[in-house]
């Protein structure tokens, strides 16, 4: 048997020292959309020295006031549109108007 075969193995080396500026990553994902103000608020919070994470912000859509209002108008146009009348005779419509006047 070789000399020293029963000696214990040396301990593994210690892990490398962690960078003192190291922060774990936090992913914030908005489904449906986020405003520029919400992104700015998150970036402001993340810029604080006491905030313990690096942020990654992801979203399906970035919206502003105009795009938000356009989405509401589109929804309202489709929801408030009257369906065509089944029986389109002058007797069945009060006032005797045609359905094309309502569109």
């Amino acid at each position: 048997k070789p000399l020293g075969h029963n000696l214990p193995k040396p301990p593994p080396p210690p892990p490398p020292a962690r960078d003192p500026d190291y922060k774990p990553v936090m992913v914030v994902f908005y489904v449906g959309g986020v405003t520029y103000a919400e992104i700015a608020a998150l970036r402001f919070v993340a810029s604080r020295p006491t905030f313990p994470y690096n942020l990654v912000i992801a979203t399906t859509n970035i919206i502003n006031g105009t795009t938000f209002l356009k989405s509401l108008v589109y929804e309202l146009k489709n929801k408030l549109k009257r369906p065509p009348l089944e029986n389109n005779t002058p007797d069945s419509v009060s006032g005797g108007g045609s359905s094309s006047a309502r569109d």
Side-chain angles (χ1 to χ4, degrees):
K1 291 189 179 184
L3 185 62
H5 73 282
N6 59 353
L7 293 176
K9 290 184 178 178
R18 183 179 273 192
D19 181 12
D21 295 329
Y22 173 80
K23 292 181 179 182
V25 175
M26 176 189 289
V27 177
V28 179
F29 194 90
Y30 287 92
V31 176
V34 63
T35 65
Y36 291 105
E38 290 168 325
I39 293 172
L42 276 177
R43 291 182 67 194
F44 174 75
V45 170
S47 70
R48 309 293 251 176
T50 57
F51 191 74
Y53 301 101
N54 286 323
L55 282 183
V56 174
I57 303 169
T59 183
T60 56
N61 195 12
I62 295 180
I63 59 174
N64 59 25
T66 303
T67 57
F68 177 69
L69 290 176
K70 282 183 179 180
S71 71
L72 289 178
V73 169
Y74 177 78
E75 291 291 323
L76 289 175
K77 279 185 179 180
N78 289 334
K79 301 276 188 214
L80 296 178
K81 192 169 188 177
R82 294 182 189 172
L85 297 172
E86 291 180 24
N87 188 1
N88 197 9
T89 62
D91 295 336
S92 65
V93 178
S94 62
S98 68
S99 65
S100 63
R102 286 183 216 153
D103 294 341

